[in-house]
C-alpha cells in the first residue's frame, strides 16, 4: 500500500475518532467518580500539591490529574473540562495503535488496529469519561510498542 494512502486513511481514522470522542462530550451526567475528580484536582490546590495528594491519596497517576486541572483552569470546573484530557488521550491512541500494529506485523495490521480503536465502543466510552483510563491505555500501547522494539533488538529505530 502506498504511503500516501496509508497516511490519508490514518488521518481519516483520527478525524472520525475525534468526532466520536468530542461530539456531545458533556451530554452524559457526571458519575460520582467524575465529581470526585473535579474536587480532587481543584485548581486551588496547585500542581505541586496535586502531585503530592495524588501520590499519597489516590491509586491513579498524577499526570491525568495535572491535565484535568489545567483543563479546569481553562474551561472551568465542568464535566467537559475533566473529559477533554481523556478525549485527547483517546484520539492519540489511534495513531499509537497504528504504530504498535506496524511494529508488530505490518502497515495493514497497523491500519486495522487504528480502525478498530477508532470505533470500538469501550475505547470511545472511556475516552469520554473523566478519569485516567484513556491515559493508561495510551501509555500501555506505547509501552507495548517499545517492548516489541526491544524484543526484536531494534535499538536504532525511531518510534
Amino acid at each position: 500500500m502506498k504511503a500516501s494512502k496509508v497516511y490519508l486513511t490514518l488521518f481519516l481514522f483520527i478525524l472520525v475518532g475525534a468526532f466520536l470522542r468530542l461530539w456531545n462530550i458533556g451530554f452524559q451526567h457526571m458519575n460520582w467518580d467524575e465529581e470526585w475528580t473535579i474536587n480532587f484536582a481543584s485548581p486551588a490546590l496547585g500542581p505541586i500539591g496535586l502531585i503530592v495528594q495524588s501520590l499519597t491519596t489516590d491509586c491513579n497517576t498524577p499526570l491525568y490529574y495535572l491535565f484535568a486541572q489545567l483543563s479546569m483552569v481553562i474551561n472551568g470546573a465542568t464535566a467537559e473540562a475533566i473529559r477533554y484530557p481523556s478525549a485527547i488521550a483517546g484520539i492519540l491512541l489511534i495513531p499509537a495503535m497504528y504504530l504498535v500494529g506496524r511494529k508488530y506485523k505490518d502497515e495493514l495490521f497497523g491500519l486495522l488496529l487504528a480502525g478498530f480503536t477508532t470505533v470500538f465502543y469501550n475505547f470511545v466510552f472511556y475516552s469520554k469519561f473523566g478519569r485516567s483510563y484513556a491515559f493508561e491505555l495510551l501509555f500501555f500501547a506505547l509501552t507495548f510498542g517499545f517492548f516489541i522494539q526491544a524484543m526484536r533488538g531494534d535499538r536504532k529505530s525511531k518510534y
Side-chain angles (χ1 to χ4, degrees):
M1 195 179 247
K2 291 176 66 174
S4 61
K5 287 185 179 182
V6 169
Y7 294 130
L8 178 64
T9 305
L10 185 60
F11 180 71
L12 290 174
F13 284 155
I14 293 170
L15 283 179
V16 169
F19 175 77
L20 290 174
R21 285 155 177 82
L22 293 173
W23 178 69
N24 219 2
I25 196 168
F27 175 70
Q28 180 180 340
H29 179 47
M30 284 196 306
N31 296 320
W32 67 270
D33 49 349
E34 289 179 312
E35 292 173 2
W36 188 84
T37 299
I38 285 180
N39 293 328
F40 188 83
S42 171
L45 190 58
I48 301 299
L50 180 64
I51 291 171
V52 170
Q53 181 176 332
S54 66
L55 291 174
T56 57
T57 307
D58 195 30
C59 62
N60 292 310
T61 60
L63 186 62
Y64 168 75
Y65 290 122
L66 287 171
F67 282 115
Q69 188 179 62
L70 176 65
S71 182
M72 282 193 290
V73 166
I74 295 169
N75 301 311
T78 63
E80 294 89 356
I82 62 166
R83 291 175 181 164
Y84 284 138
S86 295
I88 292 169
I91 294 166
L92 292 175
L93 180 64
I94 297 167
M97 291 296 275
Y98 164 74
L99 292 173
V100 167
R102 192 180 75 188
K103 284 277 183 197
Y104 181 71
K105 192 168 183 181
D106 58 14
E107 285 186 355
L108 179 60
F109 191 69
L111 284 176
L112 288 172
L113 279 180
F116 179 75
T117 303
T118 300
V119 297
F120 185 56
Y121 176 76
N122 289 342
F123 290 170
V124 174
F125 176 80
Y126 285 113
S127 295
K128 294 175 102 171
F129 197 74
R131 294 293 285 163
S132 65
Y133 308 126
F135 269 85
E136 293 166 5
L137 188 57
L138 173 64
F139 289 121
F140 175 78
L142 293 173
T143 303
F144 187 66
F146 286 123
F147 174 75
I148 292 170
Q149 182 175 327
M151 291 304 293
R152 292 190 174 159
D154 188 9
R155 300 182 193 278
K156 296 179 183 176
S157 176
K158 295 179 182 173
Y159 185 54

